[in-house]
């Protein structure tokens, strides 16, 4: 391994986390979409130290809506080794976008999951995506595959980087059709489409013994875009069925999935550095 590769191998990016609280400092609105136990930045950093993670991405929690105070404070506390993904819409002004960029935000998330709030009008969403693309940001698409395929089809000619979140939320209970799977793989042939290899713990409703069943699908997605695949824990695992997974086991899963050092280096270090660096 060359010296540059050796240095990069020491870096591990967790590209999907959330933080909640401390509530006395960063409260959520009374009518928030959900409320969890506090999971502050100090707890996230402790988990990352245990795993050997050196860089993280904090995705704005839907319960905070457009108040990014907790996210920006957390990024600032890391001295720039962490990045953020924001929740914005067509009412967000340019000054706010510039402030978010200065604070370490490098992407936005569009939620298509029914239990989460967010704009669903794809014309409005595309206008927002075009605005943040001017800052060099990407768009994170969060939804089940049946919900995302019409969006991906409609935006097939859009050359903004778009990351398909949590592998498009596959489920062992309601598997994709072959046509759905093949359509997703075809979209991953687009050089502007990325895949986040996260959410394996949700694949079987929290049953860790079923993770091997997700391996074949995850590997096909990885093979479709090895230079545009990233990984994340989804700590602290909000709204999950069953017990929260062991985050170290999730990291072990992705290392095993990659099967060789070069591919693991791409997924855990090189690819996220290109997207978030």
């Amino acid at each position: 391994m060359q010296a540059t590769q050796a240095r990069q191998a020491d870096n591990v990016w967790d590209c999907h986390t959330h933080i909640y609280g401390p509530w006395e400092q960063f409260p959520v609105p009374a009518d928030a979409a959900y409320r969890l136990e506090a999971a502050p930045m100090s707890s996230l950093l402790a988990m990352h130290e245990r795993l050997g993670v050196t860089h993280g991405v904090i995705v704005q929690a839907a319960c905070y809506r457009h108040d990014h105070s907790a996210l920006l404070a957390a990024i600032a506390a890391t001295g720039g080794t962490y990045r953020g993904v924001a929740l914005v819409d067509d009412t967000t002004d340019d000054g706010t976008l510039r402030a978010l960029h200065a604070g370490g935000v490098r992407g936005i998330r569009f939620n298509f999951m029914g239990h989460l709030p967010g704009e669903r009008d794809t014309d409005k969403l595309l206008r927002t995506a075009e605005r943040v693309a001017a800052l060099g940001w990407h768009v994170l698409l969060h939804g089940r595959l049946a919900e995302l395929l019409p969006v991906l089809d409609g935006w097939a000619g859009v050359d903004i980087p778009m990351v398909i979140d949590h592998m498009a939320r596959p489920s062992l209970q309601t598997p994709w059709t072959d046509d759905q799977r093949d359509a997703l793989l075809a979209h991953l042939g687009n050089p502007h489409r990325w895949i986040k290899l996260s959410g394996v713990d949700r694949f079987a409703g929290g049953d860790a013994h079923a993770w091997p069943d997700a391996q074949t699908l995850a590997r096909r997605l990885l093979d479709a875009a090895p230079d545009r695949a990233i990984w994340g824990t989804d700590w602290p695992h909000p709204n999950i069925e069953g017990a929260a997974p062991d985050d170290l086991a999730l990291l072990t899963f992705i290392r095993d999935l990659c099967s060789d050092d070069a591919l693991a280096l791409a997924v855990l270090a090189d690819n996220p550095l290109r997207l978030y660096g």
Side-chain angles (χ1 to χ4, degrees):
M1 181 182 291
Q2 296 178 351
T4 299
Q5 289 179 311
R7 287 194 299 272
Q8 290 174 335
D10 292 334
N11 294 326
V12 174
W13 284 74
D14 178 354
C15 294
H16 200 109
T17 68
H18 305 279
I19 55 171
Y20 302 91
W23 298 131
E24 63 275 11
Q25 187 176 2
F26 302 112
V28 296
D31 61 345
Y34 60 90
R35 181 187 175 107
L36 305 178
E37 295 289 329
M41 187 62 176
S42 58
S43 298
L44 173 60
L45 291 173
M47 184 274 289
H48 278 169
E49 183 176 9
R50 179 172 69 90
L51 268 60
V53 168
T54 56
H55 296 73
V57 178
I58 304 168
V59 178
Q60 174 76 347
C63 59
Y64 278 121
R65 299 177 184 165
H66 297 165
D67 180 359
H68 295 87
S69 302
L71 180 145
L72 292 174
I75 295 172
T78 71
T81 57
Y82 283 52
R83 295 299 196 189
V85 172
L87 292 178
V88 304
D89 58 25
D90 59 347
T91 68
T92 306
D93 60 52
D94 291 342
T96 298
L97 294 180
R98 288 192 295 269
L100 289 170
H101 186 84
V105 169
R106 293 297 181 268
I108 58 174
R109 192 187 205 195
F110 292 156
N111 282 315
F112 294 91
M113 297 294 292
H115 69 285
L116 295 175
E119 180 63 68
R120 302 297 196 265
D121 185 319
T122 55
D123 290 334
K124 290 183 179 179
L125 292 175
L126 183 56
R127 288 196 294 271
T128 301
E130 290 169 341
R131 290 178 63 206
V132 303
L135 295 168
W137 295 7
H138 67 276
V139 174
L140 189 58
L141 300 176
H142 180 215
R144 294 185 176 87
L145 186 56
E147 299 158 335
L148 293 186
L149 281 177
V151 180
L152 291 167
D153 290 343
W155 292 350
V158 177
D159 62 0
I160 298 169
M162 297 184 184
V163 181
I164 298 163
D165 207 2
H166 296 325
M167 301 191 297
R169 298 294 295 260
S171 169
L172 189 63
Q173 288 76 27
T174 54
W176 299 339
T177 67
D178 290 348
D179 287 345
Q180 287 176 318
R181 180 203 61 216
D182 292 346
L184 176 57
L185 293 172
H187 280 294
L188 289 176
N190 182 328
H192 301 289
R193 301 296 175 261
W194 294 59
I195 188 74
K196 187 183 293 172
L197 300 170
S198 58
V200 62
D201 49 294
R202 299 177 186 270
F203 178 76
D207 181 4
H209 298 291
W211 288 12
D213 294 330
Q215 192 166 27
T216 299
L217 173 60
R219 182 66 201 215
R220 291 197 68 173
L221 297 174
L222 173 57
D223 287 341
D227 60 336
R228 287 168 281 111
I230 57 178
W231 167 82
T233 58
D234 195 24
W235 185 93
H237 312 285
N239 305 312
I240 191 172
E241 297 179 27
D246 179 355
D247 296 293
L248 180 57
L250 293 173
L251 180 55
T252 300
F253 177 90
I254 199 66
R255 289 190 187 279
D256 291 345
L257 184 74
C258 289
S259 72
D260 65 69
D261 291 343
L263 190 52
L265 179 66
V267 173
L268 295 174
D270 291 346
N271 295 349
L273 181 62
R274 285 173 29 235
L275 194 62
Y276 291 102

